[in-house]
Amino acid sequence: MPIAADNNSKFSAYAHPKRLVSTVWLAEQLSAGATSDGSLVVVESDEDVLLYETGHIPGSVKIDWHTDLNDDVTRDYVDPATFAALAAAKGISRTSTVVIYGDKSNWWAAYALWVFTLFGHEDVRLLDGGRDKWIAEGRELSTETTVVPAPGTYPVPERHDEPIRAFKDDVLAHAGNPLIDVRSPEEYSGQRTHMPAYPEEGALRGGHIPTAASIPWAKAAAEDGTYRSREELEALYLGEAGLKPGDDVVAYCRIGERSSHTWFALKYLLGFESVRNYDGSWTEWGNAVRVPIAKGAERGSWPASA
Amino acid sequence: MPPALAEIVDDFQAIEEPERLQLLLEFSKGLPELPARLTDHPELLEQVVECQSPLFLTIEMEATTGDAPPAVRLYFKAPPEAPTTRGFAGVLHEGLDGLTAQEILAVPDDMPELLGLTRAISPLRMRGMTAMLGRIKRKISAELKTR
């Protein structure tokens, strides 16, 4: 049984308001005992693999973007059977309402949500503002190990990548359609190939995919880590990036995590039907043989032969 | 490998993967605060950019009595919301702080791999720890050249 949506007024302006919940809503659901029977499962997904252990929302479970959701031999996400086993072990059933939150304005939480969506999990939502907002409001944290009330019932799902995931060849075929590059301006221009103060992941070339608009992911987030209002998001993506309603959009970053945050904004908050995340992103494109790039602050253009 | 560090490596290797994460968490809690002379002068610390979370470190050479070589003191700063990074720093602090330059320079570069954490925390995150050890050794070598 799906849990009722959070009907606050900020959310109701979004295209799919039920994809977000507020800290107030979550606190009420927790008090009402919604997590006691697995109808609601709260998932924390952070950049730091040990952050959950230092204190988490009471009753929440941890899913790590790297060690739980990635297959370590194929550079792909886990297979459907592994995903089903993971979900069941965390107390998640196919019909559960899953609310995901995390550090850094939900950047990794959005990534986990996107992976849940690859497996067609229907009711998966983000906690607006994530971990930082919950803590800033002085809400309860727990270091106790969460005891899952009962393993979830999760039949092995089918994974449908096509609607929301773009591969390199899809991006080449996408030439002429809008692309959003969500990395820092220095990565976009080619001045650097990784995030400031982050590990060098080894891209041979610096720059961006030709014609991509540069909208760093964090522009979609307010200071408290919540998503900006619909009006502000429209100014950003329809105004600055120049998207038009109905556009087919591909977003990318370095490995696909930051662009999940943007994917969520475009897909659920602004209501673009066709938005794909190119998770190969710059670590693939920057190294790929015979694919063109553009350098500098200008969007550039596709070479005639591409 | 210096005895204190070898003991830490043994402790990690003696337990299963999930407990290794817990042990790393304990090390993150045990990382000492910076002395006031450094908290007041953040410019004296150097950032290890290879770490996913902000980590700053510096070394100092502390004179010892008699003809003994100076002891290398290690200082780290990492925010509480970066427990993995703090845990690595805690391991290096407990294993290396107060040793001589030669003892630290002799630590194998791939020592972090011996903790058996690569799969539990991912190779990407392991890189930060290797970079941290590398930075300490580079700073010591640079310091020795000035003497």
Side-chain angles (χ1 to χ4, degrees):
Chain A
M1 180 63 95
I3 309 262
D6 182 346
N7 293 313
N8 85 46
S9 58
K10 175 194 164 194
F11 297 167
S12 60
Y14 294 135
H16 300 278
K18 71 164 199 185
R19 290 293 173 179
L20 277 178
V21 302
S22 63
T23 50
V24 175
W25 179 95
L26 183 59
E28 284 169 5
Q29 293 294 333
L30 294 180
S31 312
T35 53
S36 60
D37 63 356
S39 53
L40 171 67
V41 180
V42 183
V43 172
E44 176 161 343
S45 209
D46 297 316
E47 176 174 294
D48 192 298
V49 69
L50 280 174
L51 189 54
Y52 169 90
E53 279 80 2
T54 68
H56 50 84
I57 294 181
S60 64
V61 293
K62 163 177 145 179
I63 292 185
D64 185 67
W65 63 278
H66 215 303
T67 58
D68 288 325
L69 298 176
N70 277 277
D71 183 297
D72 54 9
V73 291
T74 53
R75 193 174 176 184
D76 195 2
Y77 300 98
V78 292
D79 62 38
T82 308
F83 181 80
L86 171 73
K90 301 292 177 184
I92 300 169
S93 294
R94 189 68 175 165
T95 52
S96 297
T97 296
V98 176
V99 169
I100 310 184
Y101 74 99
D103 58 356
K104 314 223 160 168
S105 304
N106 275 337
W107 158 10
W108 305 93
Y111 191 52
L113 182 143
W114 179 75
V115 175
F116 268 72
T117 309
L118 289 176
F119 289 102
H121 191 95
E122 194 139 327
D123 191 358
V124 55
R125 316 180 192 181
L126 271 190
L127 174 67
D128 200 25
R131 180 182 168 93
D132 289 345
K133 185 157 196 280
W134 184 270
I135 294 173
E137 291 169 349
R139 296 183 190 276
E140 194 187 346
L141 288 180
S142 167
T143 51
E144 278 176 37
T145 308
T146 295
V147 179
V148 172
T153 307
Y154 216 100
V156 175
E158 283 181 38
R159 200 177 87 191
H160 294 292
D161 289 353
E162 301 74 26
I164 62 167
R165 185 180 188 192
F167 295 96
K168 189 187 92 202
D169 287 347
D170 299 328
V171 178
L172 286 166
H174 185 79
N177 289 299
L179 285 150
I180 306 282
D181 184 316
V182 315
R183 298 171 303 156
S184 60
E186 295 76 19
E187 291 169 274
Y188 180 85
S189 67
Q191 203 181 323
R192 62 163 84 227
T193 52
H194 61 111
M195 277 187 289
Y198 264 68
E200 169 60 77
E201 276 163 333
L204 288 173
R205 303 175 296 174
H208 55 271
I209 300 176
T211 73
S214 168
I215 307 284
W217 74 279
K219 285 191 171 184
E223 282 74 37
D224 63 358
T226 58
Y227 273 107
R228 294 203 176 274
S229 69
R230 174 144 195 180
E231 204 178 13
E232 291 168 319
L233 292 177
E234 283 180 351
L236 201 55
Y237 296 107
L238 302 183
E240 208 176 319
L243 297 182
K244 290 183 295 299
D247 271 349
D248 177 13
V249 190
V250 169
Y252 72 94
C253 57
R254 182 187 47 125
I255 55 170
E257 16 57 302
R258 287 174 285 179
S259 44
S260 299
H261 185 272
T262 297
W263 170 84
F264 185 93
L266 294 172
K267 176 97 183 158
Y268 294 129
L269 307 184
L270 293 182
F272 283 88
E273 287 281 324
S274 177
V275 190
R276 286 172 294 166
N277 183 23
Y278 169 40
D279 60 282
S281 279
W282 200 255
T283 52
E284 178 178 44
W285 196 272
N287 289 320
V289 175
R290 278 195 161 171
V291 302
I293 65 167
K295 281 182 172 291
E298 300 302 318
R299 291 181 187 179
S301 55
W302 290 90
S305 57
Chain B
M1 182 138 19
L5 192 60
E7 197 177 315
I8 295 172
V9 168
D10 286 347
D11 287 348
F12 271 94
Q13 288 187 349
I15 53 180
E16 298 295 316
E17 240 170 39
E19 284 96 56
R20 286 179 192 158
L21 277 179
Q22 281 303 317
L23 184 56
L24 191 65
L25 188 61
E26 293 307 313
F27 275 103
S28 81
K29 292 174 187 159
L31 182 68
E33 293 291 318
L34 284 180
R37 67 175 190 284
L38 289 174
T39 45
D40 297 343
H41 291 280
E43 74 281 3
L44 296 175
L45 298 165
E46 191 176 322
Q47 181 165 16
V48 181
V49 295
E50 294 89 344
C51 290
Q52 270 200 337
S53 300
L55 174 96
F56 296 84
L57 66 81
T58 193
I59 60 155
E60 287 177 0
M61 297 289 197
E62 200 171 76
T64 43
T65 50
D67 291 337
V72 179
R73 305 305 309 270
L74 306 177
Y75 300 98
F76 299 93
K77 188 179 92 154
E81 59 272 17
T84 303
T85 300
R86 284 183 66 88
F88 286 161
V91 166
L92 294 177
H93 188 269
E94 190 169 316
L96 301 176
D97 184 50
L99 300 183
T100 66
Q102 291 314 320
E103 285 171 317
I104 297 177
L105 291 175
V107 174
D109 290 336
D110 63 353
M111 167 264 143
E113 301 291 330
L114 300 176
L115 297 173
L117 284 162
T118 307
R119 195 170 61 189
I121 68 166
S122 85
L124 182 67
R125 289 160 170 151
M126 275 312 291
R127 242 189 269 174
M129 184 159 189
T130 309
M132 224 183 274
L133 176 62
R135 183 63 63 89
I136 291 168
K137 290 167 93 173
R138 280 205 300 282
K139 283 185 83 74
I140 292 173
S141 303
E143 180 70 29
L144 290 177
K145 278 190 196 132
T146 65
R147 288 171 175 251

